Amino acid sequence: MDEKNETLTDFFLLGLFPDDSRMHWFLFSMVVVIYTLSMAGNAAMVLLIWADARLHTPMYFLLSQLSVLDIFFTSVTVPKMIAGFLFGWISISFGGCGAQMFFFMFLGAAECILLALMAYDRYVAICNPLRYPLLMSRQTCLLLVAASWLGGSLNASIQTALTLQFPYCGSRKIAHFFCEVPSLLRLACADTAAYEQVLFVTGVVVLLVPIAFITTSYALILAAVLRMHSVEGRKKALATCSSHLAVVNLFYGPLVYTYMLPASYHSPGQDDVVSVFYTVLTPMLNPVIYSLRNKEVTGAMKKVIGKCGVGRTV
């Protein structure tokens, strides 16, 4: 890539682009396959929930919103990565970098909040089933989803504005495959210690507070499940909760590493690997986890597949 042909304000994304041609095409193929599966799986989940009347419940409405967020979240970074693999387009303008950073943090924070709200939904369904229709009405669900989107946009606006105010007068080479705050701060020509403290506080609000909320919700859920006399009721409650907990661990774990640990614990190679989990793998695995662990979703899938099979035979 000839950097002389780029403007002085361009950054260069150097992560996950190995010099070895075989490894290069292997990674390219893996990213394309995973991205395609992620798009197809999450789109199928949204359409399935919309098409099957049995899934028109608050839990599945929130799940459909999670799939919508995953579709946009992975699309913020992966298409640019694919273009880098295929055409060598590793440069990104200052404005493009800021836009990528904003939408990444916007959608990521919105998903953090939404996962916490999904834990609240499970708490109400299991611990207060008689009040569930009232507490989780359609209007309430819409307000909860709006709150997650607004919270995400507020978080992204603050962090993007603060990150882009620093002067970047040295190297323009970002040792990452997208414009993420920690990687960009390494290139700043100013003392970023104060901002890193702000970033830590923001991480506490966006990550640790929802984690504490989720932990409290599931502690109360576990206590309620242990008091259940019906074995079938216990199994059903644990099945829906285990799917959500698996998604929470896959998403929150890498984010806590990236945004809560001090910079001394990070290295470009490790950051690349960890970021792949929540930008590429987790959005693909979410619909798979909910499909395998949920009888209502698998039943709806079989019904749709059966209809398609009947339609073809006719």
Side-chain angles (χ1 to χ4, degrees):
M1 189 71 190
D2 187 2
E3 295 182 21
K4 294 180 180 179
N5 294 330
E6 308 297 335
T7 66
L8 295 176
T9 57
D10 284 346
F11 291 103
F12 298 91
L13 304 170
L14 304 181
L16 290 184
F17 299 111
D19 295 329
D20 183 82
S21 60
R22 287 179 297 180
M23 180 59 69
H24 179 96
W25 289 111
F26 172 75
L27 289 175
F28 166 73
S29 302
M30 290 296 295
V31 170
V32 169
V33 169
I34 293 174
Y35 180 64
T36 303
L37 291 175
S38 177
M39 293 294 101
N42 284 291
M45 184 66 73
V46 173
L47 292 174
L48 189 67
I49 292 171
W50 174 78
D52 196 310
R54 294 176 299 176
L55 302 182
H56 292 176
T57 64
M59 182 181 79
Y60 292 110
F61 172 73
L62 296 177
L63 178 57
S64 69
Q65 296 304 304
L66 178 65
S67 291
V68 170
L69 283 175
D70 278 337
I71 289 172
F72 289 113
F73 183 63
T74 193
S75 296
V76 170
T77 58
V78 177
K80 177 63 178 176
M81 192 197 318
I82 292 174
F85 276 119
L86 196 58
F87 305 110
W89 296 344
I90 61 172
S91 66
I92 184 169
S93 67
F94 185 82
C97 191
Q100 190 180 57
M101 191 188 318
F102 172 83
F103 285 108
F104 174 80
M105 289 187 293
F106 164 39
L107 296 165
E111 186 157 339
C112 286
I113 298 170
L114 183 63
L115 287 171
L117 297 176
M118 291 173 74
Y120 171 73
D121 169 76
R122 290 298 83 208
Y123 161 75
V124 176
I126 294 172
C127 299
N128 295 284
L130 296 180
R131 300 183 62 195
Y132 184 75
L134 176 64
L135 294 176
M136 294 300 295
S137 64
R138 182 167 183 79
Q139 183 178 5
T140 301
C141 290
L142 291 173
L143 288 173
L144 293 177
V145 170
S148 67
W149 285 76
L150 288 173
S153 63
L154 179 62
N155 169 74
S157 299
I158 293 172
Q159 291 198 23
T160 303
L162 291 175
T163 303
L164 295 182
Q165 75 174 348
F166 290 108
Y168 296 94
C169 51
S171 173
R172 316 294 288 186
K173 297 178 180 179
I174 301 175
H176 206 14
F177 61 90
F178 69 99
C179 292
E180 193 169 19
V181 173
S183 298
L184 204 61
L185 288 179
R186 297 192 188 102
L187 306 182
C189 304
D191 184 11
T192 61
Y195 174 53
E196 288 176 9
Q197 294 297 320
V198 174
L199 191 63
F200 178 81
V201 173
T202 305
V204 169
V205 174
V206 176
L207 293 173
L208 296 190
V209 171
I211 288 174
F213 186 84
I214 292 169
T215 303
T216 303
S217 297
Y218 276 107
L220 296 172
I221 288 172
L222 180 60
V225 169
L226 292 176
R227 291 195 298 267
M228 289 182 180
H229 299 291
S230 170
V231 176
E232 188 64 28
R234 286 185 183 182
K235 289 182 178 180
K236 184 176 180 180
L238 292 176
T240 57
C241 292
S242 62
S243 300
H244 181 251
L245 281 174
V247 171
V248 165
N249 289 325
L250 285 170
F251 189 71
Y252 275 99
L255 284 174
V256 169
Y257 167 85
T258 301
Y259 289 95
M260 299 303 299
L261 292 183
S264 58
Y265 287 86
H266 293 264
S267 68
Q270 288 177 337
D271 287 351
D272 280 350
V273 173
V274 172
S275 296
V276 165
F277 274 92
Y278 56 80
T279 58
V280 183
L281 290 176
T282 301
M284 180 197 71
L285 292 174
N286 285 352
V288 176
I289 292 171
Y290 275 101
S291 299
L292 294 177
R293 300 288 297 171
N294 195 301
K295 291 182 178 179
E296 292 175 329
V297 173
T298 53
M301 283 184 177
K302 291 177 181 178
K303 182 180 177 181
V304 170
I305 292 171
K307 286 183 177 179
C308 292
V310 171
R312 282 196 295 266
T313 55
V314 173

